[in-house]
Amino acid sequence: MLEINNLQVAYGSIKTLHGISLKVPAKSIVTLIGANGAGKSTTLRAISGLAKVRGGTVTYDGQNITNEPPHQIVSKGLCHVPEGRMVFANLTVKENLQMGAYLRRDKDGIAADLDYSFQVFPRLKERINQAAGTLSGGEQQMLAIARALMSKPRFLMLDEPSLGIAPILVRAIFDQIVAINKERGLTILLVEQNANLALAISHYGYVLETGKILLENESQKLREDPQVKEAYLGH
C-alpha cells in the first residue's frame, strides 16, 4: 500500500535520511524502531508532505505522492498522528474529533465514526465536553488517534504513541491499535521508542540507524535477533 524508494531528506545542509527504502503491505502493522535522531519521525514527515523530499519517491496506493501538499495526502486516506499529540488545547474533546472530519461531508458516516471513536476509547466519551488541554497525556494520545480516525483513513501513521504516558494507558492504547488494524483493516506504520512493544504488535519491522536502514525482518525474528536484543530490547 505504501512504498518508499531511496528516500533522501535534508534539513538545510544536514542530511537526515540517506536513501531509505521500505514497504508497508495493505492491512499490516509495520514498525520503525531506532534510537533518538535515527530519522524515524523524519520518515513519517516526508511521507505525509511535512518534510521536503530531496531525492527518491513515496508511492501510496499506486500513486506517486512525493512532496504533495499535506491536505491532499490526507484527502487520499493517509493520516499522520504526530509526536507530541498536537491536540487543540482550547477546544473540547468533541470539537477536536469534529476537526478530524473537516474534509468529510457524510453526516451519517461522521456520526457513526464518532460512536466508533468512543467505543475504542470510552474515556473520551466521559470527557466529551472537557477542554483537550486539561486531559492527561494518555487521554490526549487517545484523542489524537481518535481524531485521525475521524478523517476515515485507510492508512494511519503513528509517531511515538507511548511517549510520556503512564504504562497502564500505554498497554490500553496499543491494544486498541491492534483492534483498529483488525476490525477496520487499517494499514498502520508505527514509529515507537518502546521497541519491545512495537515488535510485539507489528507484523514486520525496520531498524533505522542514523538515516539508514540497518536491519529489516518479520517482527518476531527481529525480537530474537541478538543485535536488536542488545541495542533496543535491553537483553
Side-chain angles (χ1 to χ4, degrees):
M1 194 167 189
L2 181 85
E3 190 168 353
I4 295 172
N5 208 2
N6 195 25
L7 196 69
Q8 296 158 54
V9 175
Y11 291 110
S13 60
I14 301 164
K15 256 197 166 182
T16 48
L17 293 182
H18 304 270
I20 69 164
S21 298
L22 59 86
K23 289 180 184 178
V24 184
K27 300 188 178 179
S28 68
I29 301 179
V30 171
T31 188
L32 295 183
I33 61 171
N36 262 340
K40 304 185 304 294
S41 294
T42 300
T43 303
L44 298 195
R45 289 173 63 80
I47 294 166
S48 64
L50 294 169
K52 185 130 182 75
V53 174
R54 291 277 182 93
T57 54
V58 179
T59 307
Y60 167 71
D61 208 14
Q63 291 178 287
N64 184 341
I65 60 162
T66 316
N67 288 328
E68 273 195 15
H71 68 279
Q72 279 182 19
I73 291 173
V74 172
S75 72
K76 291 181 168 126
L78 194 158
C79 201
H80 179 180
V81 180
E83 185 184 341
R85 305 181 270 278
M86 306 281 184
V87 297
F88 300 107
N90 300 330
L91 300 184
T92 66
V93 165
K94 188 175 184 183
E95 287 165 342
N96 265 273
L97 293 172
Q98 287 167 333
M99 288 294 282
Y102 79 100
L103 286 174
R104 296 173 61 183
R105 297 290 170 266
D106 55 323
K107 280 193 175 158
D108 292 347
I110 292 169
D113 283 343
L114 197 59
D115 286 344
Y116 179 72
S117 296
F118 292 145
Q119 186 187 320
V120 175
F121 298 119
R123 276 174 184 247
L124 297 181
K125 189 163 193 181
E126 292 164 20
R127 291 159 175 64
I128 187 166
N129 295 316
Q130 206 169 310
T134 65
L135 301 177
S136 74
E139 289 161 355
Q140 287 189 13
Q141 186 61 61
M142 290 174 182
L143 179 57
I145 295 171
R147 180 180 61 190
L149 291 177
M150 291 299 295
S151 73
K152 216 173 181 60
R154 291 182 298 130
F155 191 106
L156 190 60
M157 298 195 297
L158 301 171
D159 195 355
E160 301 285 10
S162 79
L163 201 67
I165 293 173
I168 190 164
L169 281 186
V170 170
R171 191 70 255 184
I173 288 168
F174 273 71
D175 285 346
Q176 290 308 333
I177 291 169
V178 172
I180 292 162
N181 167 253
K182 283 187 178 151
E183 289 165 14
R184 295 223 149 180
L186 202 58
T187 310
I188 295 171
L189 179 57
L190 169 70
V191 159
E192 180 51 63
Q193 281 265 270
N194 186 333
N196 225 339
L197 203 47
L199 292 172
I201 71 157
S202 59
H203 303 106
Y204 201 87
Y206 291 86
V207 180
L208 233 63
E209 201 167 270
T210 55
K212 293 178 183 148
I213 287 171
L214 183 69
L215 288 167
E216 62 166 284
N217 212 328
E218 289 164 22
S219 297
Q220 193 50 46
K221 288 183 177 156
L222 282 179
R223 284 179 96 180
E224 291 157 10
D225 185 294
Q227 208 177 339
V228 174
K229 276 183 172 180
E230 192 179 338
Y232 304 107
L233 304 180
H235 296 318

